[in-house]
Amino acid sequence: MKNLLQSLLPFILLFSCQSPKEQGLKDHFESDFFIGAALNMRQVNGTEKGADSLLLMHFSSITSENGLKWGPVQPKQGEYRFDFGDAFVEMGEKMGAFIVGHTLVWHQLTPEWVFQDGEGRFLDRENLLNRMEGHISTLVGRYKGRIHAWDVVNEAFEDDGSWRKTHWYNLIGEDYIERAFRKANEIDPEAQLIYNDYNVWKPEKRKAILDMAKALKAKGVRIDGIGMQGHYRLNSPSLEQIEQAILDIHEAGFEVHITELDVDVLPRPTDVEGADLSINFAESEEWNPFKEGISPEQEKELVDRYISLFDLFQKHGDKISRVTFWGLHDGSSWLNNWPVRGRTNYPLLFDRDKRLKSRFLE
Ligand code: GLA
């Protein structure tokens, strides 16, 4: 992306004149990868003003942010809710976008009933596998041929490379991953199947993920890609660490998806990296320093970080199939609430008024 600013300038000027037919980010990166955004309900059902035009202009892929996770989709046993999913897929089809479903098997946002029998006792392996496979069949089956890729399993490993001791792992064993991928493949053999996680730039974690994925592939289980959640900070991880992850995933024979890109500009009360949702600090003035806005210097730092990230992604455009931002604009980012609740954060390329960050206009 040698001269991103220069090449973006013409279409940005046109965009600011509200010309819907001109080029957007998706066009600029067309020969490299899809440009995606994770969407919430208001953005897929048309109630958020301006979301539609931003999507049509700049994005060639969409991911369901929370709406297709187990809790929202099947809050009670056998009670499925497809209002989000249906609107989401319709939006993607209207855009002509590459549509990504997130996520089939995860330890978060999965109701406790999933793991229990009627008396509140943990299920045995076979019963839990039945439940997991039933959920996968229903969801993947409903959107067969319309959702183009699924994050089949999310976050199965700890940062040190050990297995995350989730109910899935504890009650079924390591092969819950294999069973989930096999079932998804059986139901929609055309959909791309992805394993997704954060901090894939950490070597121990990456090794565990790739060892698992290669072992399954060797057994004939289809895993197409590894999703690197890009929950980054201004100075961490380094570009070299991210690049090594891209190279290793490619070398191991998997497509690279940058699945959840954002850059946190706020300080953190703890030195945590990634997206461990169990970490939660209460709202506090002290940790919300930029409530009224960030300075031009801070915004420049953010934009510079994005430019260097996209330079790197473009350098490896032959290995990366998609770069998805985790949110459409600053106002709808989860980083306003993690790891400290109720803050004002600025982690995306579009601000709260849905405008590209000002330095792109210089
Ligand atoms: C992880 C999950 C996402 C989302 C983010 C934070 O990255 O994969 O679904 O919950 O955390 O919002």
Side-chain angles (χ1 to χ4, degrees), residues 64-66 69 102-103 106 154-155 196 198 229 231 260 275 277 326 334:
S64 50
E65 185 181 11
N66 291 314
K69 290 172 179 172
H102 172 86
T103 173
W106 190 30
N154 201 32
E155 302 174 354
N196 190 49
Y198 60 80
Q229 298 181 16
H231 296 301
E260 305 187 14
L277 295 182
W326 203 243
W334 73 295

Side-chain angles (χ1 to χ4, degrees), residues 106-108 115 154-156 158 163-172 176:
W106 190 30
H107 62 288
Q108 298 273 5
F115 306 103
N154 201 32
E155 302 174 354
E158 302 283 358
W163 285 89
R164 192 184 288 280
K165 305 298 182 303
T166 63
H167 290 329
W168 298 114
Y169 177 88
N170 291 334
L171 300 172
I172 297 176
Y176 81 90

Side-chain angles (χ1 to χ4, degrees), residues 123-160:
L123 294 182
D124 61 19
R125 170 183 159 86
E126 286 314 315
N127 280 310
L128 184 54
L129 276 170
N130 276 341
R131 225 167 246 187
M132 182 187 85
E133 292 176 343
H135 182 81
I136 294 173
S137 301
T138 305
L139 202 48
V140 176
R142 183 172 180 95
Y143 300 112
K144 181 175 176 167
R146 300 178 75 195
I147 286 192
H148 306 115
W150 280 100
D151 289 339
V152 178
V153 176
N154 201 32
E155 302 174 354
F157 292 94
E158 302 283 358
D159 282 4
D160 64 4

